[in-house]
């Protein structure tokens, strides 16, 4: 952490107490032995920058992250970290030079470029902040736009624009373009509520030039009044007058962080920050008190892609079908967590580093927080009042560990929690908050609406378009070892017809082990089926399977047609669960190059490829893509 | 609270701090104006006891609770509590006298018996603790059983028995019977893990006599070793060494309790304890800052019934299909909550009173706790980094209010939380913990099992039978008034075929207002449908419906055949949501007399009756029965 990192994201300076300072010091002072799964340090990122810049005169960096070592090498090292060779640190880079996308692997031990492949498929890399900022400033000196602004009676110095990916609709996608949407700030910071509709921009990012412009229709800009969400701007009557409440740990927290390995209660896991996916949990293992050893649960888990298609088919909105991780970088979009607000008083904070467009490491302070969670809930209890003597009451309060990150992608704030419970459960939550993306409209009352407008009128001149959020989690579960099976435990009614019993029915469980990829494409909620990942080579003492159950919460499935362009790109949303054999290169459910991609190299297409010749042999590892879902607000 | 109540349930004496004492004093000192929905006080229960005992020489009390006044009378009183007449306090009693079940209404103002109806339908009242205790002691002086014990090499003073309801299987149910299950304590308090299988008892409760006995087969009693769940009995290696964590409110809590009305943040509601259902929430209303008035959300909400059918068809288990509220009294089975364990440090406790068999009020100390919940979570947030100037970060931490009760019905502990959120959400949670009901077995390893054994081998000689838990919540929602509609908001794919748009599909929402009962019988999870309760006579400023959304979590449906006897009795489990017109007498989803009932007078049968002539006119109020579901452990 020696290099001073340039921080293009302005940070909110938050007051720190001596308590937090103490924690920072503790973290820095702890011995920092490299772990092969550690994220690249700022120093390593700078090395990458130097090496790659020596290859090309003008190069932009779109992704820099750890080139994950092969699992076998990691497990080998892990078996004896003191003596075994740590796999060479390598970086994987997606860069642009001469209008070409490069996939570059750099060996940081030898300082050599291992591979440099020019990508010749569909799609482009993740957008950088710098190019988005530059693109969004182009309108302010673009004469046709200034005329459009004037026509609408607006002042240009109150106009602010943002960039949006365009997807792919069968068109020629040989230029790397984005569209722009402009907003009117005047009188509020909540510019998302004041869109300037009816205008389409196409910006060529490589040329950094407006190459298309259309002012189709004038639509009223919704008013500023009542849109400011800042606490200080609220009427005092909105205060619910709550007294202070805090979570205290007088003796400090129970977890330790050594390098990037977290230990708490009966859990141990490694955590890393990645600029595309955010938090990566590795080697999550649970301590078995009986055997006095850690047992592996999750080798690697991270957000693999998000798919956010809007259902608004108007001219300026139809193409809005975002893939937030691959297009915007879910990790680089993370924001500094605010102590006492985003995380409770007993939280510890960790910084993260992404790579800016010019290859410089960029710090996000407080990108993760780690805290013990106590909501006042009960983990287990029993009251026994039946026996003679005193009533026996046994209660174990529920205390768990949470690793949290918040990513703000334009208007939406995603709260990602990885929660580790003492019962052995890993609970992953994606919370959606922030602001809706709204379309300005002529309507001031619902009764005026006589045609499909694709959403709900939320306020005068403000339509809230319907949309979905699908989040795909890549889970490499290694329950007690690498050879796992996916089992569908089907609950089936059995009718009794022979009159042997006064009962006429019961239900039983029939286990089906998935043999082929296609067996393991699962729609949740379509029947009484439980999804298990078992280790068929291990048994409990009395002979039962060892495994974990995947427990979904609210389940929903995608509604877009399979042949609709956005659905081809976000095809991972077709099923809630997919299983593929372990393949280190197949990490991103929407594909590696997602912006403007054709959807021809993603989880769905890999799955087709496999279904013909691969079986889900228990001897191979499995990757599980779990696609929980949040239905976009229809208000 | 003047009368000293007999407490047949021995209470665990827990140390109280001055803090708790202060709260108790505050609660007693507050002015106690009667509210028409208040539960009967111990004094009122004693009045009922005197009045009913004067009617019959030998009478047993099976249910005593508030005879809920008609909604119109309550709302009328509420409109001007100072001047309007409070409806007369009346008690509803289910009593047994001369082997007959009586439904008695007593007017506590006039001290008169209003009605005394002898029930002539199927089924019997809730069991009392006294008769269950008496029944469970009969085996210990029953010679055939003592012989069975000796045959098994067990000592009778280590034997403990419990009573279980028998359901109905088309047999002559003219006797009010229970079955008994016996356990071996020797060496553990966890007798549920040491069942003495193969023995069937039938006990006539009215005669208090064993009228049936069969020792069918000897099965090994599972061993005691490793079954004790007390913390003090655990090996020290099981300690996860967590440091202390507590929730503090240095200025005290933000809620007030006046009589039985709770006010917190923007919520106000009335709470009562009922010996059959547990917590009853009434008149839950949310404060509208803009209009400076409270708006009704929930008129009355409570647990209406539970259905817990086991799937084990062996001779001694097939009949186990429990309806915990009507058979055992879910409220009277509540247990004292342990401070700092069941509820966090900032909790306040409330006592409750049920009626014992002889009509005496019986106190359950700390039956409810009320606390502000802060789990360190985020209610709403947004980070705005796009504008010039400093980054704006706004975060509202999530603090809510919880009313909690725990009911222990034999082996299972149910944790019931009513959570009120500042966003206006009411979240009801039913947590299941405690101990499994297990069947003793000959097997010591899974590989020995060659036939259907209806469950999983959990340990040597211990089978965990499969089963379900269905919980029906009766919700009388009065969103902004009594006239509400049930709306199914169906998400539908629309295919674009005219090539007007580059998009080929989108989804829209089509609202269907339920017109008949049958429209409103809903299986959740069977499509992309959202369930709304709206007030069709009110609109937002821009013309949208006013309403609430019912948001389910994990959804499942029952698997028993419709004609299976237990499914007839627990027929409310057939759908996840039912809507019936407001009818004060239709409170209990399994019917009023549930023990050994034929299932001919419950939610399903009422619903059939209505479907022919009633329409769900928006002018009438609606009762919504929501049936969330917990799949019984299959381990």
């Amino acid at each position: 952490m020696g290099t001073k990192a340039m921080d293009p994201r302005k940070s909110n300076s938050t007051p720190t107490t001596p308590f937090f300072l103490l924690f920072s010091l503790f973290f820095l002072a702890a011995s920092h032995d490299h772990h092969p799964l550690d994220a690249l340090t700022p120093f390593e990122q700078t090395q990458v920058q130097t090496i790659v810049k020596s290859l090309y005169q003008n190069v932009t960096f779109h992704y820099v992250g750890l080139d994950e070592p092969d699992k076998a090498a990691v497990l080998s090292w892990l078996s004896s970290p003191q003596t075994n060779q740590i796999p060479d640190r390598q970086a994987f880079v997606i860069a642009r030079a001469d209008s070409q996308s490069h996939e570059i692997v750099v060996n940081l031990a030898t300082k050599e470029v291992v591979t440099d492949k020019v990508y010749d498929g569909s799609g482009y890399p993740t957008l950088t902040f710098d190019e988005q900022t530059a693109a969004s400033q182009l309108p302010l000196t673009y004469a046709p736009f200034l005329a459009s602004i004037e026509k609408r009676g607006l002042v240009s110095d109150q106009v602010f624009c943002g960039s949006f990916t365009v997807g792919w609709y069968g068109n020629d996608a040989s230029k790397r373009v984005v569209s722009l949407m402009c907003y009117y700030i005047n009188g509020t910071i909540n510019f998302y509520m004041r869109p300037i509709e009816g205008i389409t921009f196409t910006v060529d990012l490589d040329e950094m030039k407006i190459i298309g412009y259309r002012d189709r229709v004038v639509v009223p800009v919704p008013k500023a009044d009542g849109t400011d969400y800042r606490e200080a701007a609220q009427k005092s009557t909105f205060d619910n007058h709550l007294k202070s409440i805090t979570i205290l740990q007088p003796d400090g927290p129970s977890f330790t962080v050594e390098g990037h390995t977290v230990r708490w209660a009966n859990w141990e896991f490694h955590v890393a920050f990645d600029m595309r996916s955010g938090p990566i949990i590795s080697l999550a293992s649970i301590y078995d008190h009986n055997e006095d050893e850690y047992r592996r649960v999750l080798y690697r888990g991270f957000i693999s892609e998000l798919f956010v298609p809007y259902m608004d088919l108007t001219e300026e909105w139809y193409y809005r079908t975002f893939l937030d991780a691959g297009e915007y970088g879910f990790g680089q979009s993370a924001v500094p967590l605010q102590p006492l607000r985003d995380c409770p008083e007993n939280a510890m904070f960790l910084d993260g580093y992404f790579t800016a467009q010019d290859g410089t490491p960029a710090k996000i302070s407080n990108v993760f927080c780690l805290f013990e969670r106590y909501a006042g809930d009960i983990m287990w209890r029993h009251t026994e009042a039946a026996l003679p003597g005193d009533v026996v009451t046994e209660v174990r309060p529920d205390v768990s560990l949470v690793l949290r990150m918040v990513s703000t992608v334009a208007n939406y704030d995603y709260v990602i929690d990885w929660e580790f419970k003492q019962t052995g459960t890993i609970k992953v939550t994606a919370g959606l908050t922030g602001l809706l993306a709204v379309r300005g409209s002529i309507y001031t009352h619902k009764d005026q609406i006589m045609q499909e407008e694709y959403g709900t009128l939320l306020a005068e001149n403000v339509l809230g378009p319907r949309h979905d959020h699908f989040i795909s989690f890549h889970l490499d579960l290694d329950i007690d070892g690498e050879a796992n099976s996916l089992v569908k435990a089907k609950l089936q009614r059995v009718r009794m017809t022979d009159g042997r019993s006064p009962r006429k029915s019961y239900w039983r469980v029939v286990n089906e082990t998935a043999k082929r990829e296609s067996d393991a494409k699962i729609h949740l909620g379509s029947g009484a089926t439980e999804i298990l990942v078992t280790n068929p080579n291990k048994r409990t003492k009395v002979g039962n399977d060892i495994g974990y159950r995947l427990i979904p919460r609210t389940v929903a499935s995608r509604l877009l047609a399979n042949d609709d362009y956005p659905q081809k790109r976000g095809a991972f949303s077709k099923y809630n669960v997919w299983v593929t054999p372990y393949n280190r290169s197949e990490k991103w459910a929407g594909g590696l190059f997602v912006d403007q991609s054709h959807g021809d190299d993603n989880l769905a297409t890999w799955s087709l490829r496999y279904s013909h010749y691969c079986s889900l042999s228990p001897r191979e590892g499995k990757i599980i893509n779990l696609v929980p879902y949040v239905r976009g607000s229809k208000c």
Side-chain angles (χ1 to χ4, degrees), chain A:
Chain A
M1 277 174 228
T3 315
K4 177 161 166 52
M6 190 180 90
D7 187 1
R9 313 228 21 208
K10 303 166 288 289
S11 58
N12 219 5
S13 62
T14 46
T16 53
T17 69
F19 189 68
F20 296 128
L21 195 59
L22 181 68
F23 259 125
S24 307
L25 285 178
F26 173 79
F27 179 53
L28 289 167
S31 71
H32 185 73
D33 294 324
H34 264 295
H35 188 291
L37 296 176
D38 279 350
L40 298 183
T41 63
F43 178 70
E44 290 173 322
Q45 289 177 49
T46 308
Q47 286 183 306
V48 168
Q49 175 189 41
T50 304
I51 294 166
V52 171
K53 278 184 132 166
S54 71
L55 297 176
Y56 303 102
Q57 182 147 15
N58 292 312
V59 62
T60 52
F61 293 77
H62 296 259
Y63 173 82
V64 176
L66 176 73
D67 184 50
E68 189 192 332
D70 220 40
K71 186 191 288 191
V74 174
L75 295 179
S76 168
W77 170 83
L78 202 67
S79 63
S80 188
Q82 311 307 331
T83 52
N84 283 358
Q85 176 114 21
I86 191 171
D88 277 1
R89 299 278 289 166
Q90 299 200 144
F92 179 69
V93 179
I94 297 180
R96 294 272 296 170
D98 305 317
S99 295
Q100 290 184 315
S101 300
H102 292 251
E103 297 174 57
I104 303 171
V105 176
V106 177
N107 185 316
L108 292 164
T110 64
K111 313 282 188 292
E112 284 172 353
V113 173
V114 177
T115 56
D116 180 2
K117 187 175 89 174
V118 172
Y119 176 66
D120 62 1
S122 72
Y124 296 105
T126 309
L127 306 185
T128 72
F129 288 127
D130 287 344
E131 64 192 354
Q132 292 182 73
T133 302
S136 65
Q137 276 157 5
L138 295 175
L140 306 174
T141 54
Y142 188 68
F145 178 67
L146 296 173
S148 298
I149 289 302
E150 196 176 326
K151 180 166 77 176
R152 288 162 170 78
L154 307 172
V155 280
S156 65
D157 68 2
Q158 293 296 308
V159 172
F160 166 81
C161 301
S163 61
F164 294 89
T165 52
V166 299
W168 179 66
Y169 289 88
N171 49 299
D172 163 28
S174 58
K175 290 185 191 298
R176 195 167 74 94
V177 300
V178 291
S179 91
L180 302 178
M181 178 77 208
C182 299
Y183 306 87
Y184 205 49
I185 310 174
N186 196 29
T188 184
I189 62 159
N190 193 355
F191 60 85
Y192 285 109
M193 296 303 116
R194 309 200 73 199
I196 302 168
E197 295 290 342
I199 292 173
T200 305
F201 278 98
T202 307
V203 174
D204 181 325
L205 289 175
D206 290 334
E207 303 289 317
M208 198 45 73
K209 210 163 77 172
I210 294 169
I211 62 169
Y213 181 78
R214 184 179 177 204
D215 180 354
R216 180 176 69 89
V217 63
V218 174
V219 178
V221 175
K223 56 185 194 280
D225 189 46
T227 61
D228 198 328
Y229 47 77
R230 287 174 292 191
E231 200 159 357
Q234 304 311 309
K235 286 185 256 184
S236 65
T237 49
F238 275 86
D239 188 348
N240 278 332
H241 304 290
L242 295 189
K243 296 195 177 146
S244 70
I245 185 167
T246 191
I247 297 172
L248 273 196
Q249 293 195 273
D251 301 321
S254 322
F255 58 81
T256 60
V257 183
E258 238 181 86
H260 291 91
T261 296
V262 179
R263 287 186 185 87
W264 171 82
N266 47 352
W267 277 105
E268 176 186 80
F269 61 89
H270 177 278
V271 61
F273 172 78
D274 177 86
M275 66 184 277
R276 180 162 176 155
S277 70
I280 301 182
I281 304 295
S282 304
L283 298 165
S285 308
I286 192 142
Y287 181 67
D288 182 326
H289 293 272
N290 282 325
E291 302 298 318
D292 187 25
E293 63 176 15
Y294 278 91
R295 297 167 68 178
R296 181 74 31 75
V297 176
L298 175 69
Y299 177 73
R300 205 135 160 97
F302 54 88
I303 285 172
S304 176
E305 190 53 90
L306 296 93
F307 178 40
V308 188
Y310 280 74
M311 300 299 139
D312 187 324
L313 265 55
T314 56
E315 179 74 30
E316 291 79 29
W317 278 72
Y318 77 86
Y319 64 88
R320 296 189 196 211
T321 51
F322 308 108
L323 286 108
D324 288 342
E327 292 176 350
Y328 293 99
F330 194 67
Q332 78 177 351
S333 303
V335 294
L337 295 166
Q338 202 172 62
L340 304 182
R341 308 287 278 182
D342 282 316
C343 310
E345 176 148 346
N346 60 329
M348 173 185 178
F349 294 83
L350 304 170
D351 298 334
Y353 292 81
F354 68 96
T355 303
Q357 181 174 287
D358 66 357
T360 309
K363 176 168 138 179
I364 303 174
S365 303
N366 298 353
V367 76
F368 293 154
C369 70
L370 197 56
F371 62 94
E372 278 170 280
R373 185 169 190 269
Y374 176 52
D377 289 337
I378 297 160
M379 179 168 70
W380 177 88
R381 78 166 326 279
H382 185 63
T383 292
E384 193 51 71
L387 293 171
D390 280 342
V391 168
V392 174
T393 302
E394 288 280 320
V395 185
R396 317 274 191 265
D398 192 8
V399 180
S400 58
L401 184 74
V402 174
L403 179 91
R404 170 172 297 163
M405 188 191 85
V406 170
S407 184
T408 303
V409 185
N411 51 296
Y412 265 114
D413 295 61
Y414 294 85
V415 182
I416 305 297
D417 281 5
W418 281 84
E419 184 179 3
F420 297 84
K421 292 181 161 289
Q422 295 182 68
T423 53
T425 296
I426 300 175
K427 180 176 171 181
V428 194
T429 316
L432 217 54
T433 182
L435 310 166
L436 290 174
V438 302
R439 172 157 68 88
S441 153
I442 52 170
Y443 304 113
T444 55
H445 196 277
K446 184 185 177 188
D447 292 348
Q448 301 161 359
I449 305 178
M450 296 300 170
Q451 62 187 29
E452 178 65 72
E453 287 291 355
Y454 310 105
T456 305
L457 191 69
L458 303 177
E460 290 181 356
N461 306 110
V462 179
L463 275 169
R466 304 176 194 113
H467 59 287
D468 299 317
H469 296 256
F470 295 92
I471 304 167
S472 177
F473 284 83
H474 170 118
L475 302 173
D476 185 358
L477 287 162
D478 278 356
I479 312 293
D480 251 0
E482 293 173 70
N484 289 174
S485 292
L486 186 95
V487 175
K488 287 188 273 191
K490 300 188 164 186
L491 280 63
Q492 293 179 346
R493 170 188 303 154
V494 178
R495 281 212 63 105
M496 310 284 286
T497 45
D498 56 11
R500 268 186 306 142
S501 171
R503 287 280 293 273
K504 299 186 184 179
S505 65
Y506 67 99
W507 57 261
R508 66 177 176 186
V509 179
V510 175
N511 282 357
E512 268 179 31
T513 299
K515 292 199 164 44
R516 310 188 64 81
E517 291 277 339
S518 47
D519 296 337
K521 289 182 192 176
I522 301 169
H523 286 299
L524 294 171
S526 60
T529 302
E530 292 180 346
I531 312 296
L532 314 173
V533 179
T534 66
N535 185 322
N537 302 323
K538 301 218 170 170
R539 300 290 199 93
T540 66
K541 199 172 74 161
V542 292
N544 289 310
D545 288 341
I546 301 263
Y548 261 68
R549 190 192 314 182
L550 301 181
I551 303 177
R553 287 297 189 157
T554 314
V555 171
S557 12
R558 57 102 190 133
L559 287 166
L560 290 178
N562 282 334
D563 63 340
D564 203 356
Y565 287 105
Q567 185 56 33
K568 289 186 191 186
R569 298 175 60 239
F572 68 81
S573 64
K574 185 173 181 186
Y575 294 98
N576 298 110
V577 182
W578 307 71
V579 182
T580 53
Y582 177 76
N583 183 323
R584 197 162 60 80
S585 71
E586 290 172 357
K587 296 175 70 168
W588 310 111
L592 183 58
F593 292 90
V594 157
D595 177 36
Q596 291 181 257
S597 74
H598 299 185
D600 48 10
D601 181 32
N602 58 28
L603 177 54
T605 58
W606 311 327
S607 194
L608 279 174
R609 212 165 46 223
Y610 284 123
S611 62
H612 292 296
Y613 63 84
C614 258
S615 66
L616 293 177
S617 157
R619 281 186 230 96
E620 303 163 23
K622 303 293 169 299
I623 303 294
I624 292 164
N625 271 79
L626 195 59
V627 190
Y629 173 74
V630 175
R631 180 71 69 183
S633 170
K634 62 171 287 292
C635 299

